[in-house]
Amino acid sequence: MSDTSELTFQLLKRLHAEFPDFRRDQASVKMRLGSLEQHVATMSVDIARINVELDHIRGDVGLIKRRLDLADA
């Protein structure tokens, strides 16, 4: 029974020693995820802005076609 206790104790000591690495890695992943979330939000705004500009361009092209009698009836 003492062998099991000793092995368990050694395992717990090793896990305890590695725990700060896990915390540091978790903080790093959290920061990177936050950065990715910001990039996605920025891209979403940019895409929405591009869609608005494309709608205006489509409207302008339609107006030009009608004025030049190029529009399909």
Side-chain angles (χ1 to χ4, degrees):
M1 191 68 167
S2 68
D3 288 338
T4 304
S5 297
E6 182 62 27
L7 289 174
T8 303
F9 179 67
Q10 292 300 324
L11 178 63
L12 288 173
K13 283 187 353 184
R14 191 172 68 202
L15 288 174
H16 181 70
E18 293 176 1
F19 186 71
D21 293 335
F22 293 135
R23 301 270 317 221
R24 197 170 27 254
D25 290 344
Q26 179 188 19
S28 174
V29 168
K30 187 177 179 180
M31 287 189 320
R32 291 170 54 198
L33 181 59
S35 176
L36 287 173
E37 288 172 340
Q38 289 176 348
H39 286 296
V40 168
T42 301
M43 288 188 319
S44 296
V45 170
D46 289 342
I47 289 170
R49 190 175 305 132
I50 289 168
N51 283 334
V52 169
E53 289 178 20
L54 281 174
D55 288 341
H56 284 100
I57 291 169
R58 285 185 186 117
D60 291 344
V61 168
L63 182 63
I64 291 168
K65 283 181 173 182
R66 281 191 298 278
R67 285 190 180 172
L68 296 175
D69 292 327
L70 299 173
D72 294 334

